[in-house]
Amino acid sequence: MPGNNQSPDRKTVIVGKAICRLAAVAPWAWPLVGSSVGRFFDRAAAGWDERTSAGSASHLAALAAGLDALQAKPERVLDLGCGTGAGSLFLAREFPTASIRGVDISESMIGQARGKIGLDPEGRVSFRVGDASSLPFADDSFDLVTQVNMPVFFREIARVLRPGGGVILATSHGDHTPFSTPERLVRRKLTSQGFAAIGSGAAGEGTWISARLDESR
Ligand SMILES: C[S@@+](CC[C@H](N)C(=O)[O-])C[C@H]1O[C@@H](n2cnc3c(N)ncnc32)[C@H](O)[C@@H]1O
């Protein structure tokens, strides 16, 4: 399903995109589908990295390009829909003094991600089960929020970001990614939530959109 390196079938793409559209335009309806999505990814977690090449250069190319464009120097980073932790661990390498929090609705995905944390006595990198539609963090907790191949919950991202903080929404396979949201819709929603300096681009097979939350917000 979403993010898969093998070409996903047509039904998967249609269902994935419908789920992303729902999250973008009617996040209040997420409880109707959230637990099914979590169960789906619980089943998909074993072997995820092998099937999707999660963590490979091509999988993370768009995230890396978005980071370059944003020129962020974050201290607190949140990676939403972190899956098995590939993006979060990449961010930990990119920002060696930042704290990195990975959140995913699937317990099995979080189990896989936790298994990759090496010696980290200060708890700089941690993973927890959580729903991006209702995040377990206080307002203004982060200065960078990222996500790769994941539905977008705009209001929650704006809430947990401090003013001036940045966001990167990346896909590994652009429009062919089942969990992807049309750029026009993303731009409209970002603007309505107080984001500015919206940029976008492509890298490898993937795409990225970056933005900053207004300082004055
Ligand atoms: C396509 S996978 C991508 C995983 C990872 N980012 C990657 O690229 O390998 C989507 C992930 O988002 C998670 N997810 C979906 N909806 C979510 C939500 N509302 N809150 C948190 N995680 C969610 C799924 O459990 C799954 O692990």
Side-chain angles (χ1 to χ4, degrees):
M1 156 103 167
N4 203 325
N5 210 30
Q6 302 144 8
S7 287
D9 60 77
R10 204 173 121 75
K11 183 181 161 212
T12 299
V13 175
I14 290 170
V15 171
K17 288 185 182 223
I19 288 171
C20 285
R21 194 169 280 273
L22 176 87
V25 303
W28 43 266
W30 182 255
L32 298 174
V33 299
S35 48
S36 312
V37 171
R39 280 195 300 276
F40 175 89
F41 284 101
D42 278 342
R43 290 192 298 274
W48 177 262
D49 290 353
E50 293 71 25
R51 290 197 310 280
T52 67
S53 300
S56 66
S58 63
H59 178 251
L60 296 174
L63 175 61
L67 283 178
D68 279 350
L70 199 61
Q71 292 282 300
K73 293 187 177 47
E75 290 170 8
R76 290 185 52 83
V77 182
L78 174 63
D79 183 33
L80 293 171
C82 63
T84 57
S88 313
L89 294 171
F90 168 75
L91 291 160
R93 292 192 294 276
E94 286 291 301
F95 304 115
T97 58
S99 84
I100 316 287
R101 300 289 173 258
V103 166
D104 200 285
I105 203 168
S106 156
E107 279 187 32
S108 305
M109 286 288 193
I110 289 297
Q112 300 262 343
R114 285 185 178 144
K116 293 180 183 170
I117 300 181
L119 198 59
D120 182 19
E122 289 161 18
R124 190 170 78 80
V125 181
S126 71
F127 296 103
R128 68 188 281 184
V129 175
D131 189 335
S133 72
S134 174
L135 286 165
F137 301 108
D139 298 359
D140 301 353
S141 292
F142 298 95
D143 40 29
L144 176 66
V145 174
T146 64
Q147 54 177 68
V148 180
N149 306 330
M150 172 54 200
V152 194
F153 294 90
F154 295 91
R155 183 178 292 206
E156 273 300 85
I157 293 173
R159 184 184 69 74
V160 300
L161 264 182
R162 68 162 175 73
V167 62
I168 298 169
L169 310 170
T171 71
S172 297
H173 298 281
D175 199 37
H176 300 295
T177 310
F179 264 7
S180 62
T181 310
E183 180 169 340
R184 267 179 71 168
L185 176 57
V186 171
R187 284 180 173 267
R188 183 157 58 79
K189 287 285 170 185
L190 285 172
T191 304
S192 73
Q193 288 298 327
F195 285 88
I198 302 174
S200 61
E205 290 178 30
T207 53
W208 56 270
I209 299 175
S210 68
R212 281 197 181 278
L213 196 55
D214 257 352
E215 287 279 1
S216 56
R217 194 169 171 277

